[in-house]
Amino acid sequence: MKPSNKEPRKLQLSYFLNNDVIFLAKDLLGKVLFTQIDGKITAGVIVETEAYFGVQDKASHAYGGRRTDRTEILYSQGGISYVYLCYGIHHLFNIVSSVEGEPHAVLIRAVEPLIGKNIMELRRNMSADKAAISSGPGSAAKALGIDRSFNRKDLNGDEIWVEDHGLRYADNEITAVPRVGVAYAQEDALLPWRFFIKGNKYVSKPNKI
DNA sequence: AAACGGATTGGCT
DNA sequence: GCCAATCCGTTTC
């Protein structure tokens, strides 16, 4: 990753309205995800994502136009969060994208600790130098203090938001591979919609090339 | 009303 | 490498 002298810029609503969730999943690599909880700010560079392509994606919770109390939020206008509990233990954080009625989302699978590392270390009870602190969707969310109370949050508020710090990656610095844990999605399980930054130690283990 | 199972993790063998 | 942990939305009886 290359440093940049650009001023950090909070991503605005228009960014999240993009209807190309594959592009967004890739473009979010290098963006910085912030949370503020009781005045404590933590942030991490997004280094791994997965795209979930709405009604036509068998791996998506909204596949086939499925609407339940849980998935309803996916149909909202982009720019809000979708957090759900997985395996009864882990909170998985997604960025809802596209326009109202199109249930696209990007799962944040790993971040590299950037700000408030000491707070993340307390939340995870391990050193920020250990990759496991924020590697994998459940760990990344926990390091940032994201739980179910973060569901349906506006991503342009003061509790959770995303900034562009000018980090840019060339195509050859990004790997695209099939998504993790979606074998049930049949042919859609093979789509290369998981993106990560090559060589970054905070990228989660499964399928690492 | 009851049973099922998951976009995972970490501890133990 | 294997497998238990642990909740609740969703499906099924």
Side-chain angles (χ1 to χ4, degrees):
Chain A
M1 62 186 156
K2 308 178 188 69
S4 159
N5 49 19
K6 280 187 183 174
E7 285 294 311
R9 177 170 66 83
K10 195 165 172 177
L11 298 183
Q12 300 301 306
L13 175 63
S14 59
Y15 178 85
F16 301 107
L17 297 183
N18 192 319
N19 61 14
D20 186 348
V21 72
I22 310 299
F23 167 84
L24 273 185
K26 206 169 150 181
D27 195 67
L28 280 164
L29 295 175
K31 300 294 189 289
V32 183
L33 176 61
F34 280 78
T35 57
Q36 177 169 210
I37 301 165
D38 295 331
K40 296 187 180 73
I41 292 180
T42 49
V45 180
I46 297 169
V47 298
E48 178 180 354
T49 61
E50 281 180 0
Y52 284 84
F53 202 82
V55 300
Q56 59 174 282
D57 179 1
K58 289 185 176 178
S60 168
H61 291 165
Y63 173 60
R66 197 156 186 275
R67 281 179 184 262
T68 65
D69 288 345
R70 182 179 65 153
T71 65
E72 191 61 33
I73 188 164
L74 289 167
Y75 294 85
S76 307
Q77 172 174 265
I80 58 172
S81 61
Y82 168 47
V83 179
Y84 74 97
L85 186 63
C86 187
Y87 293 103
I89 308 172
H90 309 292
H91 299 281
L92 273 58
F93 168 71
N94 295 254
I95 291 176
V96 175
S97 66
S98 194
V99 295
E100 185 170 357
E102 286 292 334
H104 295 176
V106 176
L107 170 68
I108 303 303
R109 288 192 55 90
V111 301
E112 176 175 336
L114 181 68
I115 293 170
K117 291 184 188 182
N118 56 330
I119 300 168
M120 294 187 183
E121 288 176 333
L122 289 171
R123 287 176 184 148
R124 296 282 293 132
N125 193 32
M126 68 175 81
S127 164
D129 292 329
K130 296 195 93 173
I133 194 171
S134 53
S135 177
S139 302
K142 190 169 181 189
L144 290 167
I146 295 171
D147 61 19
R148 282 206 36 107
S149 71
F150 274 80
N151 193 32
R152 217 176 267 272
K153 289 283 188 204
D154 186 337
L155 294 178
N156 201 20
D158 57 6
E159 294 176 279
I160 186 164
W161 68 94
V162 185
E163 291 185 7
D164 182 350
H165 285 212
L167 295 174
R168 294 289 181 272
Y169 301 94
D171 277 350
N172 64 12
E173 295 177 287
I174 294 172
T175 301
V177 294
R179 295 169 293 181
V180 178
V182 297
Y184 60 86
Q186 303 169 33
E187 71 273 18
D188 288 350
L190 301 175
L191 297 166
W193 287 351
R194 173 183 179 221
F195 303 95
F196 61 81
I197 296 168
K198 280 183 191 172
N200 187 288
K201 77 173 184 179
Y202 295 93
V203 170
S204 67
K205 289 192 196 93
N207 295 341
K208 212 163 189 173
I209 55 165

